Amino acid sequence: RSLLRNELPDAEVMVVSNREPYIHNMESDQITVQRPASGLVTALEPIMRACGGTWIAHGSGSADQLKVDSSDRLGVPPEKPSYTLRRVWLSDAEQDGYYYGFANEGMWPLCHIAFVRPNFRTSDWEHYVAVNRKFADAVVAEARTSNPIVLVQDYHFALLPRMVRERLPDATIVTFWHIPWPNAEVFSICPWKEEILSGLLGSSILGFHTQFHCLNFVESVDRFMECQIDREHSTVSASSGTTLVRPYPISIEWPPAALAGQPPVKECGDLVRKKYGLKADVRIAVGVERFDYTKGIADRFRAVESLLENHPEWIGHFTLVQVAAPTRSRLPAYRDTQVEAETLVQSINARFGRDDWQPIILAATHHEPDAVFTLFRSADLCMVSSLHDGMNLVAKEFVAARDDDDGVLILSTFAGASRELHEALIVNPYDIHAMGEALHIGLSMPDDQRRDRMRLMREMVGEHNIYFWAGRMLLDAARIRKRRHIERQIA
Ligand code: F6P
């Protein structure tokens, strides 16, 4: 907040994302508010709570669809409003084409190495263009000034930066791409690659989690666009202006809101053991994600099987509690992922389980942040085995939940978080045997080593928290604004 006050006085802040921070659902004649399972929301919501402004997002809850509450603007958070949620309504056809189709059957598999084939359909693309235009219209309509700071989030809105730039030329458009960017050869299969690149180059700043993804983007631009690349200063200049392309590894609120009110670690353990019927001598591992094929959930289950095969001393003494929120279930690849995982749990539990103990407990429902934090605090170990992930905030949340400095993190080398959390046990999620061994090493790790590792990770996340992330982007935005101001004075 003080950065905004000092460096960007009077700046109007707007966020654009597909996912809304508060989803309004209708349950037994009452409107309930749900916090979505979304890394993007986890990261940005505390920033908006601190800065105020307008967050433009798709109104997606069942209460919205039933038109119970169809006001365009709401003050949020509901208990203590500090910013405005402006909801954009989409038809079923728009939602199918733009969100399920182009964004999640095209861009998502294109950008993640998970060996799921991207599908590009012209009708999806047309909806994607139309919905980007609809959100760009909302930005222009909501802007109170001619030069707002517009924080554009993710692969749903690759075209929006240029659309906004054309209508608000003085806006500072900061786009953050929450998922990986593929290499130029992979990217070239997208039939609308030039449009996507040109759309993104409407941004003043384009951020990725890692330098590697920035380089992939610049390489794609170099191959497919007419533009000037200044590798020394990380800028790309095209007809729409100059874009600074930089890594800004995303993070979480520190301390996280969900930590307040948590019982002591010992009590969290008791609560979780009671809930899942786990005996006192059973060590607990946790996994928390959306049921997405990029998360490597089935491979994690195979690693549990490998642990029990190779280290039978853990039979009866180790359980993985896996929370997996159903997601994008209308798409076959997502339904298949869930079915594969459920089938695997049944077979592993049938093979090793007993009447009073199961090696894997799968809770395939959405859990609110408080429940997730209690689970993190109860665990000996947290397992993040993404096949590919931009960052993965679950890894950082686990670290943040452990104010007792305890707990082991097993982390995929293909998650951006592995570039920062060096004290995790870093694994290749395709190597099932190695992951099983990492479980054994984690469960057998001496107390002092566990604590030393956790302390270092906590220092890292505590320092490089979400305010640090936003601060770096906003400082770069402030510099760009000052430079433009001077340029205009000279002109
Ligand atoms: O990783 C990209 C992302 O947009 C995240 O920011 C978010 O956690 C996730 O996808 C959620 O997906 P959806 O909004 O489609 O449920």
Side-chain angles (χ1 to χ4, degrees), residues 19 37-40 99 108 154-156 178-179 290 327-328:
R19 185 60 64 197
S38 160
L40 179 160
Y99 174 77
W108 183 269
D154 234 346
Y155 60 101
H156 309 90
H178 289 255
I179 62 177
R290 294 175 303 107
T327 178
R328 308 174 188 169

Side-chain angles (χ1 to χ4, degrees), residues 391-402:
M391 172 54 68
N392 194 288
L393 292 182
V394 167
K396 293 187 175 179
E397 285 185 304
F398 174 65
V399 168
R402 299 313 298 257

Side-chain angles (χ1 to χ4, degrees), residues 226-287:
E226 282 293 323
C227 57
Q228 269 190 328
I229 296 174
D230 178 341
R231 293 183 198 273
E232 205 184 329
H233 297 101
S234 314
T235 58
V236 176
S237 301
S239 57
S240 50
T242 295
T243 305
L244 175 68
V245 181
R246 281 195 69 184
Y248 302 91
I250 205 165
S251 195
I252 54 166
E253 181 182 25
W254 189 276
L259 195 56
Q262 284 289 328
V265 164
K266 162 85 178 62
E267 226 174 281
C268 291
D270 294 343
L271 287 168
V272 168
R273 281 175 198 284
K274 191 160 171 233
K275 180 167 178 189
Y276 295 108
L278 302 172
K279 292 191 182 154
D281 63 346
V282 171
R283 308 283 293 278
I284 303 174
V286 296

